[in-house]
Amino acid sequence: MLNVQSQDVVTLPDQARGQAVAVEQAEAALVEHYARLVRLAYLVLPPSLGPGRRVLTAHAVTQRALPRGRASEAPDSLAVVPEPRPGAGAGAGAGLGLGRNGDPGYAYVRLQVLRTALRAGRPFRWRTWPWRAQLPPLLPQVWGLRLFPRSGGAAELALDQRLSALSAPARAAYVLRGLERLTDADVAAVLGSAGAADPGAALREADGLEARYELLASPEFDPCSLQARPTDLVRRRHHMKAAAAAAAAVAVCAALLAMPGTGWGPDGAAAPPYAQNPAAEAALDPAELTKVAPTAWKQSARTDFSAWPARGSLTGDRALLRRALAVWARPGPSVQVSATPGTPAGSPPGPAQLLYAGEVDLARVVLLYDGLRIVRYAEPKNGTSGAALDFARVDGATAEEANAVVVARADGNVRYLTAPWVSATSVRDLLQPDAEPMELGRAPDGVTDPLAGPARAGACRSWNVLQVQHDASTRLMTDLGELVPAHLTSGRPETPRESTGPLSLAGWARTACSLSAVRSHGVRSVNLWQYARQQLPEGDGSATWMCTRAETWRGTGTRVLAHFVEPGRAAGAVAAKAEDSPACGAREPHVLAGVLWKSQSGAWYLLAAGSRQVVSVQATGAVIGSARGHVLSVRTKQGVQAGLKGQLADGRGISVLR
């Protein structure tokens, strides 16, 4: 037999004499235990890779575990598995942890998988050539789909978070103990052979984690049982269009370069192609960032984002600021970019203002302001993979709106960076109007403690808002899924006031859940107006009519909802809605809406109500009736189709909200 010892030969650091393993034996072990080896690689790989790349890398690491060369070309080639170190322990495979009934082929491929996975977790150094495991895998590849393991329970999630806090050798030690059932001596020997610098330290670090080894067999950590979801289809379509446009541009440029002379003609006062632009260069230079003094807001004539000082522990980290500015100007394909409707997501026009740079939870966060937009850059603490870039339009912000910016959002919780003039923060549940607000702690740099955000799905049982104190003013701000929370007001559209009075809070308790209709819509403020009360037929009590109007930062896309609140009901019903309508606003402080209502006796009525300026209301269509004043009640049948129209005191007509 030809004994070939290639670069895939495994040797212990002490150069112990090894046990030979044929390539066919290693291949058989890999095929038989493939799912277990992939799970081992997935658990040891750094979580910073993200679930999708972590799954593909785990499969790539396992598939590369065989010795180099094909068995058909060198059928007798051998790999060497090291023998146990002297004194490492007794038993089958002691000091080596052969496992799988002492199969040396399995021990070999497991050692190769572990060694490659540990290499993937080492810090990336630009001056040295990276290990192959530190780069995205060439194979396998998946196009157009995102793959990730099935979700487990709370215990699996907690274990995954604790494992992510360990070093790669410590994760490997924990997994070898729990998944492979190796003794500490075997674990130390395997880690040493895999290239761990200090196996003892890895074991001690793993000792600090609760021994919940049964959870390692959960589907949460099974990269062979996957869920598939599509990638961002809209972005993919845009990329295809951009690629087609780029190809056309390249073709046009090539044709122009091939033309004799100077092409189409001179470009006037424009600089030569690819000339460096001083303003663009300054926008990418961290030294050019504007940093407002901590007390400048006290003397400033403006109380908006331009008066915010630069805060956070990393305002002097030029490398972080340079990355944030570079990603803002040229976000790569791996950067998750989001922008509120109507917000341009282009590069900065010049040097921006630094609002915050620091560590929040598990990320490094940078907040920037360019006079038009708030820009949030976030990257993981342990790398730059999975960076995010968010844009929000804030032009024309006033002291009522420039009170807070979302600095972090995780697990349904929100952290805010508050304005320097905010003296106190608290949490109020709009669905509990009689409850006192709960104090919300803040760090010295203005970052609040986590605040449970409004419910995004399922039953609406609470709606937490941020309450801020500024001098004698108390304001309510609600998170609608964007960087800047929306300001909540109440009262007539011409003269809205803060929503902290008992009547305002009682109104919001019945309409707060409808705020989900304007989530992620670029909302600047929402005003609640109780515009009418109506005595119900048959003596069934008194109903309340309200309207909410959501104004946007871009000016268009406003949304208006009319609410009908029956006596004894905790929440109102949406009777009508409209978009880009002036109704219920400062320009047209009028509204008219109707609803089909069933009395306690079972009779059906068409009810309608308008604001005080409405002097008459008329029902049309399948229901005929009219009334002087701003309310109408007409007996009808279930399911009829009716129209409404009214007349204002100045003689103008008003149509129903739709």
Short mmCIF file of all heavy atoms in Angstrom, two decimals, residues 63-101:
data_model
loop_
_atom_site.label_atom_id
_atom_site.label_comp_id
_atom_site.label_asym_id
_atom_site.label_seq_id
_atom_site.Cartn_x
_atom_site.Cartn_y
_atom_site.Cartn_z
N GLN A 63 -18.13 20.01 3.89
CA GLN A 63 -17.85 19.38 2.60
C GLN A 63 -16.38 19.48 2.22
O GLN A 63 -15.92 18.75 1.34
CB GLN A 63 -18.72 20.03 1.52
CG GLN A 63 -20.20 19.75 1.70
CD GLN A 63 -21.08 20.54 0.76
OE1 GLN A 63 -20.58 21.14 -0.21
NE2 GLN A 63 -22.38 20.59 1.03
N ARG A 64 -15.63 20.39 2.86
CA ARG A 64 -14.19 20.49 2.57
C ARG A 64 -13.34 19.72 3.58
O ARG A 64 -12.13 19.90 3.63
CB ARG A 64 -13.76 21.96 2.59
CG ARG A 64 -14.36 22.81 1.49
CD ARG A 64 -13.52 24.05 1.22
NE ARG A 64 -13.31 24.84 2.42
CZ ARG A 64 -14.07 25.88 2.79
NH1 ARG A 64 -15.10 26.23 2.04
NH2 ARG A 64 -13.80 26.56 3.88
N ALA A 65 -13.97 18.86 4.39
CA ALA A 65 -13.23 18.18 5.46
C ALA A 65 -12.42 16.99 4.96
O ALA A 65 -11.56 16.50 5.70
CB ALA A 65 -14.21 17.72 6.55
N LEU A 66 -12.66 16.51 3.76
CA LEU A 66 -11.90 15.36 3.26
C LEU A 66 -10.49 15.78 2.85
O LEU A 66 -10.25 16.95 2.52
CB LEU A 66 -12.62 14.75 2.06
CG LEU A 66 -13.95 14.04 2.35
CD1 LEU A 66 -14.55 13.54 1.05
CD2 LEU A 66 -13.72 12.88 3.31
N PRO A 67 -9.54 14.84 2.84
CA PRO A 67 -8.18 15.16 2.35
C PRO A 67 -8.23 15.59 0.90
O PRO A 67 -9.16 15.26 0.15
CB PRO A 67 -7.42 13.84 2.53
CG PRO A 67 -8.23 13.06 3.51
CD PRO A 67 -9.65 13.47 3.33
N ARG A 68 -7.24 16.36 0.47
CA ARG A 68 -7.19 16.83 -0.90
C ARG A 68 -6.97 15.66 -1.86
O ARG A 68 -6.35 14.67 -1.52
CB ARG A 68 -6.07 17.86 -1.08
CG ARG A 68 -6.24 19.07 -0.19
CD ARG A 68 -5.17 20.10 -0.48
NE ARG A 68 -5.23 21.18 0.47
CZ ARG A 68 -6.05 22.21 0.38
NH1 ARG A 68 -6.88 22.29 -0.64
NH2 ARG A 68 -6.05 23.16 1.30
N GLY A 69 -7.46 15.81 -3.09
CA GLY A 69 -7.32 14.75 -4.09
C GLY A 69 -8.53 13.85 -4.11
O GLY A 69 -9.24 13.68 -3.12
N ARG A 70 -8.83 13.27 -5.26
CA ARG A 70 -9.97 12.39 -5.42
C ARG A 70 -9.55 10.95 -5.17
O ARG A 70 -8.46 10.52 -5.54
CB ARG A 70 -10.56 12.52 -6.83
CG ARG A 70 -11.17 13.90 -7.07
CD ARG A 70 -11.71 14.00 -8.47
NE ARG A 70 -10.62 13.84 -9.45
CZ ARG A 70 -10.83 13.86 -10.76
NH1 ARG A 70 -12.05 14.01 -11.23
NH2 ARG A 70 -9.81 13.72 -11.59
N ALA A 71 -10.47 10.20 -4.59
CA ALA A 71 -10.15 8.81 -4.27
C ALA A 71 -9.84 8.00 -5.52
O ALA A 71 -9.05 7.08 -5.51
CB ALA A 71 -11.33 8.17 -3.51
N SER A 72 -10.46 8.37 -6.65
CA SER A 72 -10.22 7.62 -7.89
C SER A 72 -8.81 7.82 -8.39
O SER A 72 -8.29 6.99 -9.10
CB SER A 72 -11.23 8.06 -8.96
OG SER A 72 -11.08 9.45 -9.20
N GLU A 73 -8.18 8.94 -8.02
CA GLU A 73 -6.83 9.21 -8.49
C GLU A 73 -5.79 8.62 -7.55
O GLU A 73 -4.72 8.23 -7.96
CB GLU A 73 -6.62 10.72 -8.62
CG GLU A 73 -7.48 11.36 -9.67
CD GLU A 73 -7.33 12.86 -9.67
OE1 GLU A 73 -6.72 13.39 -8.73
OE2 GLU A 73 -7.83 13.50 -10.61
N ALA A 74 -6.11 8.55 -6.26
CA ALA A 74 -5.15 8.03 -5.28
C ALA A 74 -5.90 7.15 -4.30
O ALA A 74 -6.17 7.53 -3.17
CB ALA A 74 -4.44 9.18 -4.56
N PRO A 75 -6.30 5.98 -4.70
CA PRO A 75 -7.16 5.15 -3.86
C PRO A 75 -6.50 4.73 -2.58
O PRO A 75 -7.17 4.39 -1.63
CB PRO A 75 -7.48 3.95 -4.76
CG PRO A 75 -6.37 3.91 -5.75
CD PRO A 75 -5.96 5.30 -5.99
N ASP A 76 -5.18 4.70 -2.53
CA ASP A 76 -4.50 4.24 -1.33
C ASP A 76 -4.00 5.37 -0.46
O ASP A 76 -3.25 5.14 0.48
CB ASP A 76 -3.33 3.32 -1.72
CG ASP A 76 -3.82 2.07 -2.43
OD1 ASP A 76 -4.92 1.60 -2.08
OD2 ASP A 76 -3.09 1.60 -3.32
N SER A 77 -4.32 6.60 -0.81
CA SER A 77 -3.80 7.71 -0.02
C SER A 77 -4.39 7.66 1.37
O SER A 77 -5.53 7.28 1.58
CB SER A 77 -4.14 9.04 -0.69
OG SER A 77 -5.53 9.21 -0.77
N LEU A 78 -3.60 8.04 2.34
CA LEU A 78 -3.98 7.96 3.75
C LEU A 78 -3.89 9.32 4.39
O LEU A 78 -3.08 10.15 4.01
CB LEU A 78 -3.07 6.99 4.50
CG LEU A 78 -3.03 5.53 4.01
CD1 LEU A 78 -2.02 4.77 4.83
CD2 LEU A 78 -4.40 4.90 4.12
N ALA A 79 -4.75 9.55 5.38
CA ALA A 79 -4.62 10.68 6.29
C ALA A 79 -4.25 10.12 7.65
O ALA A 79 -4.44 8.94 7.92
CB ALA A 79 -5.93 11.46 6.38
N VAL A 80 -3.70 10.93 8.50
CA VAL A 80 -3.22 10.47 9.80
C VAL A 80 -4.01 11.16 10.90
O VAL A 80 -4.10 12.38 10.92
CB VAL A 80 -1.71 10.75 9.97
CG1 VAL A 80 -1.25 10.36 11.37
CG2 VAL A 80 -0.93 9.96 8.94
N VAL A 81 -4.59 10.37 11.79
CA VAL A 81 -5.26 10.89 12.97
C VAL A 81 -4.32 10.73 14.15
O VAL A 81 -3.79 9.65 14.37
CB VAL A 81 -6.58 10.14 13.24
CG1 VAL A 81 -7.22 10.63 14.51
CG2 VAL A 81 -7.52 10.31 12.07
N PRO A 82 -4.05 11.75 14.91
CA PRO A 82 -3.08 11.67 16.00
C PRO A 82 -3.54 10.74 17.09
O PRO A 82 -4.73 10.63 17.39
CB PRO A 82 -3.00 13.11 16.50
CG PRO A 82 -4.29 13.72 16.11
CD PRO A 82 -4.66 13.07 14.83
N GLU A 83 -2.57 10.07 17.69
CA GLU A 83 -2.86 9.23 18.85
C GLU A 83 -3.01 10.10 20.09
O GLU A 83 -2.63 11.27 20.10
CB GLU A 83 -1.72 8.24 19.04
CG GLU A 83 -1.69 7.15 17.98
CD GLU A 83 -0.60 6.15 18.26
OE1 GLU A 83 0.31 6.48 19.05
OE2 GLU A 83 -0.65 5.05 17.70
N PRO A 84 -3.58 9.52 21.17
CA PRO A 84 -3.75 10.30 22.40
C PRO A 84 -2.43 10.77 22.95
O PRO A 84 -1.40 10.10 22.82
CB PRO A 84 -4.45 9.32 23.34
CG PRO A 84 -4.99 8.22 22.47
CD PRO A 84 -4.10 8.17 21.27
N ARG A 85 -2.45 11.94 23.58
CA ARG A 85 -1.27 12.41 24.28
C ARG A 85 -1.03 11.53 25.50
O ARG A 85 -1.98 11.01 26.10
CB ARG A 85 -1.47 13.85 24.74
CG ARG A 85 -1.38 14.86 23.61
CD ARG A 85 -1.59 16.23 24.19
NE ARG A 85 -1.44 17.27 23.18
CZ ARG A 85 -2.21 18.34 23.10
NH1 ARG A 85 -3.19 18.51 23.94
NH2 ARG A 85 -1.98 19.24 22.17
N PRO A 86 0.19 11.37 25.93
CA PRO A 86 0.48 10.56 27.12
C PRO A 86 -0.22 11.17 28.32
O PRO A 86 -0.16 12.37 28.56
CB PRO A 86 2.01 10.61 27.24
CG PRO A 86 2.47 10.94 25.85
CD PRO A 86 1.42 11.79 25.25
N GLY A 87 -0.92 10.31 29.07
CA GLY A 87 -1.57 10.78 30.29
C GLY A 87 -2.84 11.54 30.06
O GLY A 87 -3.38 12.14 30.98
N ALA A 88 -3.38 11.54 28.84
CA ALA A 88 -4.59 12.32 28.56
C ALA A 88 -5.82 11.62 29.06
O ALA A 88 -6.86 12.22 29.18
CB ALA A 88 -4.70 12.58 27.06
N GLY A 89 -5.80 10.39 29.35
CA GLY A 89 -6.98 9.67 29.83
C GLY A 89 -7.00 8.28 29.26
O GLY A 89 -6.19 7.89 28.44
N ALA A 90 -7.93 7.48 29.72
CA ALA A 90 -8.04 6.11 29.27
C ALA A 90 -9.33 5.91 28.54
O ALA A 90 -10.20 6.73 28.53
CB ALA A 90 -7.95 5.17 30.48
N GLY A 91 -9.46 4.74 27.94
CA GLY A 91 -10.69 4.42 27.23
C GLY A 91 -10.50 4.54 25.74
O GLY A 91 -9.47 4.96 25.25
N ALA A 92 -11.54 4.16 25.04
CA ALA A 92 -11.48 4.19 23.58
C ALA A 92 -11.32 5.59 23.08
O ALA A 92 -12.15 6.42 23.28
CB ALA A 92 -12.76 3.54 23.01
N GLY A 93 -10.24 5.84 22.40
CA GLY A 93 -10.03 7.16 21.84
C GLY A 93 -9.74 8.19 22.89
O GLY A 93 -9.95 9.37 22.66
N ALA A 94 -9.26 7.85 24.08
CA ALA A 94 -9.01 8.86 25.10
C ALA A 94 -7.98 9.84 24.61
O ALA A 94 -7.01 9.50 23.98
CB ALA A 94 -8.53 8.16 26.38
N GLY A 95 -8.16 11.10 24.98
CA GLY A 95 -7.28 12.16 24.54
C GLY A 95 -7.56 12.60 23.12
O GLY A 95 -7.04 13.58 22.68
N LEU A 96 -8.36 11.86 22.42
CA LEU A 96 -8.68 12.21 21.05
C LEU A 96 -10.17 12.39 20.86
O LEU A 96 -10.61 13.17 20.05
CB LEU A 96 -8.17 11.11 20.11
CG LEU A 96 -8.51 11.26 18.61
CD1 LEU A 96 -7.90 12.53 18.08
CD2 LEU A 96 -8.03 10.04 17.86
N GLY A 97 -10.97 11.69 21.68
CA GLY A 97 -12.42 11.79 21.55
C GLY A 97 -12.86 11.25 20.21
O GLY A 97 -13.47 11.94 19.43
N LEU A 98 -12.52 9.96 19.93
CA LEU A 98 -12.86 9.43 18.62
C LEU A 98 -14.35 9.51 18.36
O LEU A 98 -14.80 9.98 17.35
CB LEU A 98 -12.38 7.98 18.49
CG LEU A 98 -10.87 7.78 18.41
CD1 LEU A 98 -10.56 6.31 18.33
CD2 LEU A 98 -10.29 8.55 17.25
N GLY A 99 -15.17 9.08 19.30
CA GLY A 99 -16.61 9.20 19.17
C GLY A 99 -17.13 8.31 18.06
O GLY A 99 -16.38 7.65 17.33
N ARG A 100 -18.47 8.28 17.91
CA ARG A 100 -19.13 7.47 16.89
C ARG A 100 -18.56 6.07 16.89
O ARG A 100 -18.06 5.57 15.88
CB ARG A 100 -19.01 8.09 15.51
CG ARG A 100 -19.48 9.51 15.37
CD ARG A 100 -20.90 9.71 15.74
NE ARG A 100 -21.02 10.19 17.12
CZ ARG A 100 -22.12 10.13 17.82
NH1 ARG A 100 -23.18 9.57 17.33
NH2 ARG A 100 -22.17 10.61 19.05
N ASN A 101 -18.57 5.44 18.14
CA ASN A 101 -18.09 4.06 18.33
C ASN A 101 -16.61 3.91 17.97
O ASN A 101 -16.19 2.89 17.45
CB ASN A 101 -18.93 3.09 17.49
CG ASN A 101 -20.40 3.14 17.88
OD1 ASN A 101 -20.71 3.23 19.08
ND2 ASN A 101 -21.29 3.09 16.90
#
